[in-house]
Amino acid sequence: MSVSVTLENVAKQYGAFAAVRGVSLAIQPGELIALLGPSGSGKTTLLRMMAGLEAIDGGNILFDGIDTSRLSLRDRRIGFVFQNYALFRHMSVADNIAFGLKVRPRKERPSASEISRRVSGLLELVQLGGLEKRFPSQISGGQRQRVALARALAIEPRVLLLDEPFGALDAKVRKDLRQWLRDLHRRTGHTTVFVTHDQEEALELADRVAILNKGLLEQVAGPDTVYDYPATAFVCDFLGETNRIPVEIAGGRAHFENIPVYQGLPSNSHGKAELFVRPQHLKLVEPGGSPFSGAVELIRRHGSIRRAEVAIKGLPKRLDIDIVSQIGPAIGESVGVRITHAQAFPAG
Amino acid sequence: MSSLARRPWRAHSILPGFGIGLGIAVTALSLIVLIPLAALVIKAASAGPAGFVALALSPRTLLALRLSFGAALIAALVNVIFGVIIAWVLVRYDFPGKKLLDAAIDLPFALPTAVAGIALTAIYAPNGWIGGLLAPWGIKIAYTPLGVVMALIFVSLPFIVRTVQPVLQECEAELEEAAALSGASRLRTIWSVILPPLLPALLTGFILALARAVGEYGSVIFIAGNLPGISEIAPLLIVIRLEQFDYAGAAVVGVLMLAISFTLILSINSLQALVRRRLGYV
């Protein structure tokens, strides 16, 4: 049922603006992949090209090894969920879901009873049983999104594409729907690609995350890899908060103003660089415990943890450091800082 | 405390100004619409019941009414089709001269109708540009009921275009994409996805066009030829009766037009309400 999707050097040009500049990506059957990037990175354009809604200016998109560019939208059999749902508002929930079945040519169309059986099955699947007679204007945003998903699933798609599926929903509903989509994917096993600008969403949901920037693919890997071992400075910065420390590297050791701060870098790295350190990879120690030290200037609440801002002499920006222990430092206190994990990228 | 216990005669609204708003509305409506119409009915009543029935059922009156309403209905229906197509072209496509075409839609509003009537007659008369082409085929437009329909199409065209245009503008392209990805053909998409949401606006435009066409006088009298019983419209019959100082006779035709128009508009309005409910407008 599910197919592999292969992008070969796909490109898209809007006038003088290159929206997508040669993206290659191999998506396995049944995989759940996130296209992540800031607005204007080309992620939605890429998704729309996979759907056949945009013409491809260069490269190929293959479904199970077969070029799709000649196929009509109907024959591509793609389930697409739009950011703003794009539900037919003059149709009931049930009619929306049944649409793709009802418009089939007479030979291929399931019988009326078969259609209604499938619609109620899909309504169960998206947990909207009992709402079939409602109109889209009479249900909530999260429910509309699930109707849109059921409509996309009704045509038994080979690939499921979702454009910012939770973009228009509030934070709580987003979280619930994320979990739910993960479960749904596990049960149905469709090859699924979804676009998002929310890194948390991408990391939580996807088997692999493809990070796009200015029409180019920066990195494709599992959530843990892209988060802990980002391939580029952009990926590191985009995926989570980072402290940047200008350093000089020699033999895998990073020095900040001649103070050794970190030594876990590949031993063949040399020269000026910028050290990217996440707040949770910084540890507060006794003032004498590390040569890298400063003073606590501010402590604030950051969701479930507390975070200290530590001013280091010679560093223009204060370091954000997660406080793991119950007993935190006092404001004004001198502290030592130890880096437990870091990535170095050429200074830019 | 009795004032609290008393049931208010209208639902309480937190928006101020209901009293003065309704007052102004009723006064204006009375002065401009209701009182003149009441005078019309009183005048018609002066013919007496027997006179009224005789005048109303006279063949000339009936034929004039049939032509007026029949031609107006046909004109409004024709405009439903062309109006939607024109609105579609204006909303969906970009082409040179689009602004000009858009502005030209409103010309039938602005042009003195007599001018329109004379222009149409010149073109569609047997010796006119288009009339001349049709004459060998035995098709006559000017000086026939067909000419009446033609003039009414002209004057009522803007209504459909202008009511449908904004709704079409709001219709997202994504709906069409969703339909196409679901496997719907282009025709099916237009029929099941694009047209249904247009229906309420279309009905509004239809009522306006119909009302305009029923009341049209200026352009029609030039192109119609005005043969009693064949191409004589009801408004013209009223004018003829007036010129003969038959005020009661004119008023009777007027009252009949009023009654038929009111019934038509009221029923289309309720049809519209039904459609809106069926389409999921709350």
Side-chain angles (χ1 to χ4, degrees):
Chain A
M1 185 71 246
S2 285
V3 302
S4 67
V5 180
T6 314
L7 311 185
E8 289 173 348
N9 218 8
V10 174
K12 178 78 191 178
Q13 193 88 19
Y14 290 114
F17 174 68
V20 176
R21 303 187 285 170
V23 168
S24 296
L25 178 63
I27 302 168
Q28 304 306 316
E31 200 174 16
L32 178 55
I33 227 171
L35 294 180
L36 176 66
S39 52
S41 59
K43 54 192 191 305
T44 293
T45 307
L46 201 57
L47 193 80
R48 289 174 60 84
M49 283 195 284
M50 287 188 221
L53 295 172
E54 298 289 342
I56 303 170
D57 291 343
N60 294 304
I61 296 179
L62 314 173
F63 284 45
D64 259 355
I66 297 159
D67 189 2
T68 58
S69 52
R70 296 281 166 73
L71 287 182
S72 71
L73 290 182
R74 179 209 296 256
D75 294 332
R76 284 168 186 249
R77 292 246 315 277
I78 280 168
F80 199 98
V81 175
F82 292 87
Q83 179 174 7
N84 296 314
Y85 326 121
L87 293 179
F88 308 128
R89 63 175 194 177
H90 59 282
M91 294 184 200
S92 67
V93 165
D95 286 340
N96 263 287
I97 297 173
F99 184 78
L101 300 173
K102 284 183 177 167
V103 298
R104 284 193 187 164
R106 197 173 293 275
K107 299 192 297 286
E108 305 161 28
R109 196 188 310 158
S111 66
S113 60
E114 168 68 11
I115 289 180
S116 79
R117 200 185 58 75
R118 278 214 230 164
V119 167
S120 40
L122 283 161
L123 278 164
E124 280 315 309
L125 186 70
V126 299
Q127 298 166 353
L128 288 177
L131 294 185
E132 46 270 69
K133 292 221 172 64
R134 301 273 192 93
F135 284 100
S137 57
Q138 297 165 333
I139 57 178
S140 74
Q143 289 170 333
R144 279 178 216 168
Q145 194 56 281
R146 282 183 278 160
V147 173
L149 194 59
R151 181 179 66 184
L153 291 171
I155 60 163
E156 295 172 315
R158 303 195 298 162
V159 177
L160 195 55
L161 304 176
L162 308 119
D163 184 10
E164 299 265 7
F166 313 124
L169 302 168
D170 59 63
K172 181 82 177 67
V173 181
R174 284 174 87 114
K175 282 239 158 84
D176 293 348
L177 273 181
R178 249 187 240 169
Q179 194 63 45
W180 173 83
L181 185 66
R182 193 90 188 73
D183 290 345
L184 186 81
H185 176 258
R186 199 171 298 141
R187 266 183 291 163
T188 57
H190 288 289
T191 307
T192 305
V193 183
F194 74 98
V195 156
T196 181
H197 63 264
D198 180 342
Q199 29 89 11
E200 210 181 298
E201 192 169 288
L203 294 173
E204 187 180 328
L205 261 176
D207 296 327
R208 282 195 300 157
V209 181
I211 296 133
L212 282 157
N213 182 31
K214 293 177 182 158
L216 288 169
L217 206 51
E218 297 262 338
Q219 187 177 12
V220 191
D224 291 337
T225 311
V226 290
Y227 190 80
D228 286 332
Y229 301 98
T232 64
F234 173 82
V235 172
C236 189
D237 213 28
F238 191 72
L239 280 184
E241 288 159 291
T242 46
N243 297 292
R244 293 167 168 221
I245 306 167
V247 290
E248 187 85 35
I249 301 176
R253 288 163 181 268
H255 294 264
F256 169 68
E257 302 205 328
N258 293 324
I259 309 166
V261 289
Y262 185 63
Q263 47 187 345
L265 297 169
S267 55
N268 56 354
S269 47
H270 290 282
K272 273 196 185 309
E274 217 169 359
L275 206 59
F276 283 62
V277 194
R278 303 217 185 276
Q280 68 269 33
H281 293 143
L282 283 169
K283 247 173 94 179
L284 291 176
V285 293
E286 291 299 310
S290 167
F292 193 40
S293 62
V296 177
E297 291 217 334
L298 201 68
I299 295 176
R300 50 197 168 88
R301 192 81 216 164
H302 200 86
S304 58
I305 46 141
R306 288 191 301 156
R307 184 164 287 175
E309 291 187 15
V310 175
I312 308 266
K313 193 164 162 282
L315 206 61
K317 268 188 87 179
R318 292 183 290 219
L319 291 180
D320 283 332
I321 302 175
D322 284 357
I323 303 172
V324 271
S325 65
Q326 286 296 318
I327 314 146
I331 287 174
E333 200 179 319
S334 297
V335 289
V337 177
R338 188 179 295 155
I339 298 170
T340 58
H341 181 89
Q343 298 279 311
F345 296 105
Chain B
M1 287 296 116
S2 64
S3 64
L4 275 179
R6 209 170 52 199
R7 281 177 64 91
W9 60 275
R10 60 179 170 88
H12 180 72
S13 164
I14 54 161
L15 293 176
F18 174 78
I20 194 163
L22 186 69
I24 292 173
V26 168
T27 311
L29 200 63
S30 302
L31 287 174
I32 298 166
V33 180
L34 295 179
I35 295 175
L37 290 186
L40 174 67
V41 174
I42 292 166
K43 190 79 211 174
S46 71
F52 186 96
V53 171
L55 275 168
L57 295 183
S58 80
R60 191 173 176 186
T61 310
L62 287 178
L63 286 170
L65 286 172
R66 193 181 74 174
L67 177 64
S68 265
F69 284 95
L73 273 170
I74 293 171
L77 283 173
V78 168
N79 274 333
V80 162
I81 296 165
F82 287 118
V84 170
I85 294 174
I86 291 172
W88 177 269
V89 169
L90 284 177
V91 169
R92 282 311 167 89
Y93 304 107
D94 270 316
F95 51 88
K98 177 173 167 168
K99 286 251 160 61
L100 278 177
L101 182 65
D102 198 28
I105 303 294
D106 290 327
L107 279 182
F109 278 148
L111 209 62
T113 50
V115 176
I118 293 166
L120 284 171
T121 310
I123 287 175
Y124 287 101
N127 55 356
W129 289 350
I130 299 177
L133 293 176
L134 293 173
W137 302 84
I139 302 170
K140 271 185 74 182
I141 292 180
Y143 317 127
T144 67
L146 214 54
V148 177
V149 173
M150 203 60 152
L152 295 185
I153 291 174
F154 177 86
V155 296
S156 61
L157 171 73
F159 292 100
I160 308 266
V161 179
R162 290 301 180 225
T163 47
V164 167
Q165 213 176 0
V167 185
L168 215 47
Q169 222 134 29
E170 266 176 40
C171 178
E172 312 150 78
E174 285 181 354
L175 290 178
E176 287 169 51
E177 292 175 348
L181 284 167
S182 296
S185 64
R186 190 71 191 141
L187 220 65
R188 181 69 194 241
T189 303
I190 291 173
W191 185 250
S192 310
V193 172
I194 298 169
L195 282 184
L198 285 186
L199 258 185
L202 213 49
L203 280 172
T204 303
F206 181 75
I207 295 173
L208 291 173
L210 182 69
R212 175 78 180 82
V214 165
E216 176 57 13
Y217 172 77
S219 62
V220 176
I221 53 165
F222 288 99
I223 198 172
N226 307 327
L227 297 167
I230 295 170
S231 58
E232 182 181 65
I233 54 168
L236 178 64
L237 187 58
I238 294 175
V239 173
I240 291 172
R241 293 252 163 92
L242 287 176
E243 281 169 351
Q244 297 162 344
F245 305 105
D246 180 7
Y247 297 126
V252 167
V253 182
V255 165
L256 287 173
M257 287 191 77
L258 190 66
I260 298 171
S261 297
F262 195 66
T263 316
L264 267 176
I265 292 174
L266 207 62
S267 44
I268 298 173
N269 270 337
S270 25
L271 177 66
Q272 195 196 24
L274 193 78
V275 166
R276 285 181 69 89
R277 262 201 308 282
R278 279 292 306 274
L279 294 182
Y281 292 88
V282 189

